[in-house]
Amino acid sequence: MAIYREKDIFERRNAANEAKKALLERFKARPAADDPQVLARQAERKAILEARAVREAEKQRLRQEKLAREAAERAVREAAEAAARLEAETKAAEEAKIREAEENERISRLLADEAARKAKRDARYAARKSRVGRTPPGFTAR
């Protein structure tokens, strides 16, 4: 069985110092801000950002055009619907007038027929009243 041995303070301090040195070396190895590779990467990033901005502006312009086109189509459609609705209302009003005229004519015919029947009935009644003293044919007096 292996024996576990703790590192003493000197070993821990040396390990920390070596880690700090390695970080410092890695930091020093980084290229400077005026290095051609760094400048090339920065230019590439800038070009990418500009291209993205152009694409976004184009996308926004297309979106606005689409909204304007849809609004125009909706306005045309609503105008056509309003015209159709007005035409339907006018047609319905004309049909209602025609139906009302037909109904008034039917009612006037019925009233005229009723008046004619009443006149016939009144004539029969008047004829019967004028015959009061006579017995109708086929009846015998009591």
Side-chain angles (χ1 to χ4, degrees):
M1 183 166 168
I3 299 175
Y4 176 72
R5 183 178 80 81
E6 278 192 33
K7 292 183 180 179
D8 63 355
I9 189 160
F10 300 112
E11 289 174 330
R12 289 195 308 262
R13 189 177 59 198
N14 287 339
N17 284 337
E18 288 174 9
K20 286 179 187 177
K21 284 180 187 175
L23 278 175
L24 185 61
E25 290 300 320
R26 211 170 66 198
F27 180 75
K28 286 181 180 177
R30 263 186 44 201
D34 60 346
D35 188 41
Q37 288 180 343
V38 172
L39 293 176
R41 257 188 291 161
Q42 285 178 350
E44 183 181 347
R45 286 182 187 147
K46 186 176 180 183
I48 290 171
L49 288 175
E50 289 172 355
R52 184 179 299 153
V54 168
R55 284 193 311 268
E56 287 295 322
E58 179 68 17
K59 196 183 297 185
Q60 184 67 21
R61 185 186 62 80
L62 291 175
R63 190 177 303 128
Q64 292 298 326
E65 287 177 0
K66 180 182 176 187
L67 289 175
R69 186 174 52 250
E70 288 174 353
E73 290 172 357
R74 186 176 23 220
V76 168
R77 186 174 55 246
E78 288 174 357
E81 289 173 356
R85 186 172 48 250
L86 181 63
E87 183 179 337
E89 289 173 356
T90 305
K91 188 175 181 180
E94 290 174 1
E95 290 175 355
K97 285 181 183 178
I98 291 171
R99 279 195 307 273
E100 185 178 344
E102 290 173 351
E103 183 68 18
N104 287 340
E105 183 182 335
R106 187 180 66 79
I107 289 172
S108 65
R109 272 187 282 136
L110 286 174
L111 289 175
D113 289 347
E114 185 69 29
R117 280 195 299 270
K118 186 175 186 302
K120 283 183 185 179
R121 188 178 64 235
D122 288 348
R124 283 193 313 266
Y125 183 71
R128 196 175 28 213
K129 283 291 193 178
S130 67
R131 298 186 305 236
V132 167
R134 299 181 331 168
T135 56
F139 287 104
T140 58
R142 294 191 212 185

